[in-house]
Amino acid sequence: IGSSLYAFSAVKAPTTFGSTVVHRWERKRESDGKWITMSKIAFPIHGGRSDGYRGYSLKESVEAGQWRVSIETKNGQLIGRIGFSVVYGAPRELTQEVR
């Protein structure tokens, strides 16, 4: 407990596009396997960049377990999702990109 994580996302958007993206940080409850929202972080995006709009969010005090960050529109429509496990122990290098 006490570690922090960042979630990074990029959304392609036309030049005239502007909206809000939400990072919904969820942890899987071990007792029943239900995904519980731990926090929601919203930020504005504006189009015009050829590689898409990039943004990130920070989650502090992350507990061990199964996690995911759902990237959503402000209305809750799913754009993408990042799934990962948090395990405490000796640090090691990330050997592959998380998609």
Side-chain angles (χ1 to χ4, degrees):
I1 298 178
S3 295
S4 300
L5 293 175
Y6 289 89
F8 169 85
S9 61
V11 178
K12 294 232 180 201
T15 306
T16 58
F17 182 79
S19 190
T20 299
V21 169
V22 176
H23 281 183
R24 179 189 302 265
W25 287 80
E26 302 168 286
R27 185 173 181 269
K28 193 175 203 177
R29 190 164 52 198
E30 291 182 26
S31 61
D32 61 4
K34 182 177 178 183
W35 289 100
I36 306 300
T37 299
M38 304 304 285
S39 62
K40 288 171 54 175
I41 301 164
F43 50 91
I45 64 166
H46 303 284
R49 191 172 172 276
S50 63
D51 289 332
Y53 180 88
R54 298 178 295 174
Y56 67 91
S57 61
L58 167 67
K59 176 69 177 150
E60 297 180 303
S61 299
V62 178
E63 301 174 23
Q66 296 292 317
W67 285 82
R68 69 184 184 188
V69 176
S70 295
I71 299 105
E72 304 174 344
T73 66
K74 65 182 176 182
N75 297 324
Q77 293 176 296
L78 185 66
I79 298 171
R81 184 171 281 151
I82 305 164
F84 54 95
S85 296
V86 173
V87 179
Y88 288 106
R92 61 183 184 149
E93 287 187 34
L94 182 63
T95 57
Q96 72 181 57
E97 182 179 335
V98 178
R99 291 189 181 248

